[in-house]
Amino acid sequence: MNLEIRESGGGNGQAVDFSLGEGETTHILHPEQIIVYRGPSEGRSDRLMDVKGIYRKKKLLQADMTGPCQFTAALPPGFTIKIVDLHENSDLLYDFRNIFFYSSGIEMTSRILRIKNMLITKDAVKMKFSGNGTIGLLTEGAVYETELHPTEPLFVDAGSLVAYPENAKLDLTVYGNTLSSQHMNYHWKMTGNGTVLFHAGQKGNRLQQDMDQDGIVKRILREVIPFGGIIIK
C-alpha cells in the first residue's frame, strides 16, 4: 500500500491518496470520507462493524477496500492524519475513536480500563493492534511523540492522549498548586518505557474564546474563583 497526504492550503483540510496493489486490503472506518475511487466495482465492500466498533465509533459501517485500486479520502478542516507503521513488537494501546484506517495483516484486541478511570474519562476500552501493517490516526491537531521515563512521571491531558505503551503505569490526577488543580482537566500521570502519542488540537477552542470574546475582568474571575470555569460562562 502506498499513501500520499495532500494539503489543500488555507487550512481547509487534507486529503489522503491510497494506492493498493493486487490482493492488498485496507479497512476504512469512515467510508463516507472516500470521495474518489478508481478500480473494479467489487474492489469496495461495505459491511457492518461488529458491536464493539459500533459502540466506540458511534457508526455502523466500514469499507473494506481491496486492490488493485486507487482512492482518495478527504479529511475535514481542523483534522490531521498520523501514519503509524506497526511491527510485531508494538505494544501501544489506542483510543478506537482515533482510528481512521488499518491495513490487512493487523489484528485488534481490547484492553479494559480500571473502574475508577472509566468513571472519570467515560472510556472503558483501549485497543491494541498486533501484526505488521499500517494504521492511520485521525485527530484534531497534529500528533506528537514523547518518551516515557521509568521513574520520572509525565503528565498528559487525558483528552489529548492518543496512544501509550501497554506496560506504562497510569494514574488519573491533577498537578500544581490548588489554583492549578481547580482549573485543569484530569491528566494521566505516566511512567514506564516507550513512546506516548498525543495531539495538540483540543485546547485551541478555549484559547480562541479567551482571545476573541471575554473581557479581562471575566477572565480573571474565571481563573481566580474556585471552579469559575464552570460557573462563569
Side-chain angles (χ1 to χ4, degrees), residues 145-165:
E145 301 182 17
T146 296
E147 290 289 329
L148 286 178
H149 189 275
T151 59
E152 182 180 344
L154 176 71
F155 296 89
V156 182
D157 186 292
S160 299
L161 185 63
V162 175
Y164 58 90

Side-chain angles (χ1 to χ4, degrees), residues 117-131:
N117 294 347
M118 291 183 194
L119 295 176
I120 295 175
T121 64
K122 298 180 175 61
D123 192 12
V125 178
K126 296 294 183 183
M127 304 305 300
K128 181 176 181 179
F129 292 85
S130 59

Side-chain angles (χ1 to χ4, degrees), residues 20 34 39 55-56 86 107-108 146 164 175 198 203 227:
L20 305 183
I34 299 174
Y55 169 75
R56 298 299 300 136
L86 295 183
E107 296 183 354
M108 293 186 293
T146 296
Y164 58 90
Y175 65 93
F198 59 92
K203 300 304 179 184
F227 305 105

